[in-house]
Amino acid sequence: MQFSSIPGLHDVKAMLTAAVKSNHIAHAQLFVGSAGALNLPMALAYATYLHCENRGDDSCGVCPACSKNSKFIHPDTHFVFPLSNVKGDKDEERFKADIMKSWRAFLLEQPYGNLNDWTNYYGGEDKQALISREESREIIKTLSLKPFESANKVMIIWQPELMHPSAANGILKILEEPAPHTFFILVTNAADKLLPTIISRTQIVTVPLLQDEEVESYLTAHNVEAARAKKITPLAEGDLNYALKLTENEEDDNTKQFRDWMGQCWQKRYGLLVATAEQFHAKDKLSQKNLLAYSMLVMREALLFISGATAMNRSRGEELEFIGRFSKQMTVEKIEKSFTLINDASYHLERNGSAKMIFLDLSLKLAKIINP
């Protein structure tokens, strides 16, 4: 992967390339980004740049090192990533080879994927993925060897917050005193869960979420109709992976669904709310999440409308007109309580609660708030 294949984030790219050009590279860096940030692709592009034989403002993309990195098979780029329970013996060499093959295929097919995507890809069971204590020994063993081809060795640790405490403590010494020309790139979505001793040994590189125009531009450049890209972009909130998933899903008329739903809540038409909960339950999970995400977006937009900050509204046209009408029925307190309830419902849905019960419970609570 090259920097040019990652949309936006020009300041981060410039900072990383400048450090390499000036030979002021931190031996351990922590790429921090909230869920949906492109910190893993950025780490992959950075590793390619470190190995490139003819680098300029980006890796050349054609040298042998770049060719191998494009397939994630460079012998001096090593990966550590979380695993949950899978069928098979994790101590077998064949299992390790198979899981690494799956990891490389995952990066090629879903370069912007998240932990759930990875777990589903390799067939992990419905349990918490972890980086085992044995991995710290593997890291030390791997990095004790000399580089095979490149002048540099790179170790990418994805989701280090999921390290077993023994594994996290086990890498502290090598993080502080690595072998020459050995670089650690830790990629996290939850830096607050890392050991303070790990954070203190790394240089933090913050990778922000993408801007709306960057997401929209990427979608339209990848054959998504302009109108649909414009509709999806606010829902994605800078998360390119989520935006791409929305493009694969059947288009939902969330504005109409939300308008009808809120009308039922306002009128306290409980029979219709039960029927609507059935309809919600029948949707696929992405459509369910999409509707709740859109609902939270409307609440934020209505709050801006009430506050007189309409210049900050992301909605346009008929959608903005609807939000203006909807905001007349709301107050700041109503919006705050409603947003919290919808956010909680999204959390429970993500953890495989009953969609029908979650939506019906949410609807009944919203009815009490919107029209007490």
Side-chain angles (χ1 to χ4, degrees):
M1 180 170 285
Q2 295 180 271
F3 288 125
S4 58
S5 62
I6 302 172
L9 306 174
H10 303 295
D11 291 344
V12 180
K13 296 173 186 176
M15 188 253 316
L16 292 173
T17 55
V20 176
K21 290 176 181 179
S22 62
N23 200 28
H24 284 84
I25 316 169
H27 66 267
Q29 293 173 290
L30 181 65
F31 283 36
V32 178
S34 57
L38 301 183
N39 45 354
L40 178 57
M42 189 65 72
L44 297 172
Y46 185 47
T48 302
Y49 191 74
L50 285 169
H51 289 313
C52 180
E53 299 166 13
N54 300 298
R55 55 182 174 240
D57 291 332
D58 198 350
S59 50
C60 70
V62 295
C63 71
C66 286
S67 178
K68 290 177 182 177
N69 271 297
S70 69
K71 302 171 186 174
F72 309 108
I73 57 173
H74 195 289
D76 294 313
T77 298
H78 308 278
F79 297 99
V80 173
F81 42 81
L83 290 171
S84 56
N85 287 352
V86 292
K87 294 179 180 180
D89 185 353
K90 293 185 181 180
D91 293 328
E92 294 180 357
E93 288 300 319
R94 187 168 68 178
F95 172 81
K96 293 179 180 178
D98 287 346
I99 206 68
M100 184 56 67
K101 184 178 179 181
S102 294
W103 171 251
R104 288 167 176 150
F106 170 71
L107 293 178
L108 287 169
E109 295 174 27
Q110 302 183 49
Y112 308 121
N114 57 27
L115 183 60
N116 285 336
D117 297 327
W118 163 234
T119 303
N120 292 331
Y121 190 86
Y122 72 82
E125 295 179 3
D126 189 20
K127 293 184 179 179
Q128 176 67 56
L130 294 170
I131 297 174
S132 68
R133 69 185 73 186
E134 288 77 20
E135 283 295 340
S136 63
R137 301 191 190 99
E138 286 294 322
I139 291 171
I140 295 169
K141 179 181 176 182
T142 299
L143 296 182
S144 66
L145 304 173
K146 292 182 179 180
F148 284 92
E149 296 179 4
S150 174
N152 301 315
K153 294 188 72 170
V154 180
M155 172 66 72
I156 297 176
I157 304 178
W158 187 48
Q159 308 282 2
E161 64 271 20
L162 299 179
M163 280 186 131
H164 187 281
S166 297
N169 283 307
I171 67 168
L172 289 177
K173 183 172 178 59
I174 195 168
L175 268 181
E176 189 169 23
E177 299 176 1
H181 304 290
T182 298
F183 302 101
F184 281 91
I185 308 174
L186 283 67
V187 182
T188 182
N189 297 123
D192 57 314
K193 295 181 181 178
L194 288 171
L195 292 176
T197 44
I198 286 183
I199 295 175
S200 67
R201 286 165 167 77
T202 58
Q203 178 190 68
I204 295 178
V205 176
T206 301
V207 181
L209 291 166
L210 296 181
Q211 298 294 317
D212 279 359
E213 56 270 21
E214 293 168 342
V215 174
E216 186 176 341
S217 176
Y218 184 92
L219 294 179
T220 53
H222 288 76
N223 302 317
V224 178
E225 291 181 4
R228 188 153 193 228
K230 189 176 289 293
K231 201 170 184 179
I232 287 172
T233 296
L235 291 174
E237 296 187 306
D239 183 342
L240 185 58
N241 183 45
Y242 185 45
L244 291 171
K245 287 178 180 176
L246 292 176
T247 65
E248 297 169 0
N249 207 41
E250 284 188 26
E251 189 168 2
D252 295 315
D253 189 353
N254 288 306
T255 303
K256 183 179 185 305
Q257 292 181 63
F258 181 83
R259 183 176 62 243
D260 293 346
W261 178 31
M262 290 299 101
Q264 293 164 12
C265 290
W266 176 263
Q267 298 171 33
K268 292 185 166 62
R269 303 183 70 178
Y270 299 121
L272 284 177
L273 286 175
V274 172
T276 301
E278 291 277 7
Q279 294 170 8
F280 182 80
H281 186 80
K283 292 175 175 286
D284 62 74
K285 192 167 184 178
L286 185 59
S287 294
Q288 293 167 353
K289 289 173 60 180
N290 191 4
L291 178 57
L292 294 180
Y294 178 79
S295 302
M296 288 189 282
L297 175 66
V298 170
M299 292 298 171
R300 285 194 295 269
E301 294 284 276
L303 181 61
L304 291 172
F305 213 96
I306 290 172
S307 304
T310 53
M312 298 176 63
N313 280 109
R314 299 160 78 182
S315 303
R316 297 290 182 268
E318 293 181 5
E319 191 173 48
L320 186 58
E321 290 178 13
F322 161 70
I323 289 170
R325 294 192 301 271
F326 176 71
S327 64
K328 293 177 182 178
Q329 312 299 327
M330 302 296 284
T331 64
V332 172
E333 184 181 7
K334 286 181 180 181
I335 290 174
E336 182 181 0
K337 290 180 178 179
S338 299
F339 184 93
T340 300
L341 286 173
I342 298 168
N343 190 50
D344 289 345
S346 183
Y347 174 87
H348 294 306
L349 185 67
E350 189 66 39
R351 277 142 189 81
N352 299 315
S354 166
K356 179 181 177 181
M357 297 305 296
I358 290 170
F359 193 79
L360 183 57
D361 178 67
L362 172 62
S363 299
L364 296 175
K365 289 177 178 176
L366 287 175
K368 291 182 181 179
I369 292 171
I370 294 171
N371 188 12

